[in-house]
């Protein structure tokens, strides 16, 4: 069965802190994605990766960075957390490189920045 | 204008009802279309792909109108378990092929 896990379900951080969100998939998928989901705005793509050590900016990369050192792991980093980064963060993976394959999501991390 | 627009709802319907959701998209070059389902406090999951000729999966029927750039989802004989948010998803090709998610339409089925 497809499995995407995220390191935390809930996180509370303070403004200015460096925040790491981890995502692991066990399906040997090529592509991995980070989204944030906010009411009324839907899921917005932050960054994605189509291969180990490769990364591409999504639609809202400002204030974020990513790391993909191993195929199964994709990390999202908030260099200096701000209150407007309070959101639900969803990681996803997909098998092929076409970008439109089924995306399998993790359970999400609800981040609150105070 | 949002790339993918949906009526946020909620649609409150009794069990057994037929309900339809529409979604419009702005990029006429989009080629791939999907409906994802997201239960409350859960992650989105693929419900079905949408094909040009229309397609059906049990009680669910998806249709695509390229000329008007809208996608529909019809649910017949609604069940309590259909209560969820339905996300309309369209691809955008700008260097890489990406999925663009609508904000979702919430459905509440009551006894």
């Amino acid at each position: 069965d497809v499995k995407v896990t995220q390191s935390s379900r809930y996180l509370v951080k303070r403004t200015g802190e460096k925040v790491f969100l981890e995502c692991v998939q066990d399906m040997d998928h090529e592509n991995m994605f980070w989204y944030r989901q906010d009411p009324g705005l839907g899921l917005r793509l932050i960054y994605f990766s189509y291969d180990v050590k490769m990364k591409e900016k999504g639609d809202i990369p400002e204030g974020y960075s990513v790391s993909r050192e191993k195929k199964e792991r994709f990390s999202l980093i908030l260099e200096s957390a701000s209150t407007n980064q309070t959101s639900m963060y969803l990681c996803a993976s997909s098998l092929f490189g076409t970008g439109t394959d089924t995306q399998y999501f993790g359970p999400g991390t609800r981040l609150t920045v105070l | 204008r949002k790339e993918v627009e949906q009526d946020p709802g909620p649609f409150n319907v009794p069990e057994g009802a037929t309900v339809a959701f529409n979604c419009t998209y702005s990029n006429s070059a989009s080629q791939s279309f999907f409906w994802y389902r997201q239960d409350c406090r859960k992650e989105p999951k693929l419900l079905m792909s949408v094909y040009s000729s229309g397609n059906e999966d049990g009680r669910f029927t998806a249709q695509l109108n390229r000329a008007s750039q809208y996608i529909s989802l019809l649910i017949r004989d609604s069940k309590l378990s259909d209560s969820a948010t339905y996300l309309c998803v369209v691809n955008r090709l700008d260097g890489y092929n990406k999925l663009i998610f609508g904000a979702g339409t919430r459905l509440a089925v009551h006894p």
Side-chain angles (χ1 to χ4, degrees):
Chain A
D1 200 15
V2 168
K3 191 78 172 176
V4 179
T5 57
Q6 295 183 227
S7 50
S8 307
R9 291 301 303 271
Y10 300 94
L11 268 183
V12 180
K13 296 292 183 181
R14 297 209 173 273
T15 301
E17 281 193 80
K18 192 168 186 175
V19 183
F20 294 87
L21 302 182
E22 301 281 334
C23 175
V24 177
Q25 50 96 2
D26 66 356
M27 299 160 287
D28 203 34
H29 281 178
E30 299 288 334
N31 294 346
M32 295 189 76
F33 309 85
W34 274 107
Y35 295 91
R36 62 179 284 178
Q37 185 174 28
D38 300 288
L41 296 178
L43 279 77
R44 292 179 292 167
L45 182 63
I46 304 170
Y47 266 97
F48 63 102
S49 169
Y50 54 89
D51 200 354
V52 176
K53 296 192 186 295
M54 305 303 285
K55 60 185 179 184
E56 293 293 333
K57 293 180 179 179
D59 294 324
I60 52 164
E62 297 77 21
Y64 303 95
S65 62
V66 291
S67 171
R68 193 166 181 202
E69 296 296 317
K70 294 184 178 181
K71 190 175 186 179
E72 68 272 17
R73 189 178 296 270
F74 192 35
S75 302
L76 180 69
I77 303 148
L78 286 66
E79 296 292 341
S80 177
S82 64
T83 55
N84 63 13
Q85 292 178 310
T86 292
S87 186
M88 171 67 83
Y89 289 88
L90 288 159
C91 174
S93 71
S94 67
L95 178 59
F96 298 117
T98 65
T100 56
D101 303 315
T102 301
Q103 292 191 10
Y104 296 89
F105 286 85
T109 296
R110 183 163 293 282
L111 173 67
T112 301
V113 182
L114 302 176
Chain B
R1 183 187 172 191
K2 292 180 181 176
E3 283 187 79
V4 179
E5 299 217 51
Q6 298 183 248
D7 182 340
F11 284 62
N12 294 300
V13 303
E15 276 186 289
T18 295
V19 62
F21 308 136
N22 288 330
C23 159
T24 58
Y25 61 96
S26 61
N27 187 348
S28 60
S30 293
Q31 294 292 323
S32 302
F33 310 92
F34 310 90
W35 285 100
Y36 276 67
R37 170 194 168 127
Q38 186 172 23
D39 293 335
C40 188
R41 301 185 197 284
K42 298 280 192 178
E43 70 273 19
K45 292 183 180 178
L46 178 67
L47 177 67
M48 59 197 299
S49 300
V50 185
Y51 303 118
S52 295
S53 54
N55 48 300
E56 192 173 303
D57 182 3
R59 297 180 293 108
F60 297 82
T61 300
Q63 293 201 311
L64 168 65
N65 184 320
R66 286 187 186 272
S68 301
Q69 293 180 208
Y70 82 77
I71 306 151
S72 64
L73 177 68
L74 182 78
I75 305 175
R76 291 182 300 278
D77 189 22
S78 298
K79 312 290 185 191
L80 295 176
S81 57
D82 294 334
S83 296
T85 297
Y86 291 84
L87 309 177
C88 176
V89 185
V90 171
N91 82 301
R92 183 221 290 156
L93 181 58
D94 58 1
Y96 294 95
N97 217 343
K98 301 168 188 166
L99 294 184
I100 308 301
F101 287 77
T105 297
R106 193 154 66 88
L107 171 66
V109 182
H110 57 83

